[in-house]
Amino acid sequence: MTALTVRTLGEDEWETYRDVRLSALNESPEAFAATASGEKQIEEEEWRARMRRSRRLLAENEAGDGVGIVSLRTHSNDEVDQPYGELFGLWVAPSQRGTGVAVNLLEALLEQARKDNLGAVLYWVGTDNARGVAFASGHGFRPTDYRRPMNPASPDTESTEEIAFVYPITTDSEHVPSAVIDSRH
């Protein structure tokens, strides 16, 4: 495998994030609730706002090309003692799949969650996505009883479900309070 770097993008790198995000939407449209055509219309200020709302971790090859991306959003509310993170938007360029890019992104995201003192990280995976379920399970995520419709806003998506997986960061985060799941909506 060639040298790989994973780093957190800053707000001023919104164009880098946008370009990789659009590549992901073009290459794997079924994996996302958004569309490339819709996101191409977004103005700079909205991209910057997205950068402020969540951490964006980028995997780059030796040439500096973005070959993978993942995001980490923090959730907290008055009903939970410790904030939780949510992993979303994981994508790896097709030429890099199976080379460890996703694992490197995941490890960097979990390290960031520890630095941010998060109790756990949630990861919603389609129940019919065998690779996603295997990836989550194989890297320490545990399935929960929580389910939700997948891409409910998309009329082109079949009525499938997502399951919430949890990766406990602290020992008291074995079970995710429903307040954390409910804060997503």
Side-chain angles (χ1 to χ4, degrees), residues 24-117:
L25 291 168
N26 279 318
E27 190 280 322
S28 300
E30 72 288 348
F32 300 97
T35 64
S37 61
E39 296 214 356
K40 284 179 185 173
Q41 307 305 314
I42 295 174
E43 300 291 330
E44 176 181 344
E45 188 48 44
E46 175 57 25
W47 285 109
R48 287 181 174 276
R50 287 179 175 197
M51 298 300 287
R52 291 188 297 268
R53 282 193 302 264
S54 301
R55 294 186 187 274
R56 313 300 175 160
L57 287 81
L58 176 71
E60 294 175 308
N61 63 16
E62 288 176 323
D65 300 321
V67 296
I69 192 95
V70 69
S71 296
L72 176 64
R73 179 182 302 129
T74 299
H75 295 284
S76 63
N77 61 44
D78 295 337
E79 297 178 45
V80 295
D81 295 331
Q82 192 169 21
Y84 284 73
E86 180 182 354
L87 178 162
F88 67 101
L90 176 61
W91 176 81
V92 174
S95 66
Q96 298 298 303
R97 292 179 186 158
T99 66
V101 173
V103 172
N104 281 281
L105 283 166
L106 176 61
E107 289 172 354
L109 182 137
L110 293 173
E111 182 58 31
Q112 186 62 59
R114 287 181 194 91
K115 287 178 185 174
D116 291 346
N117 197 34

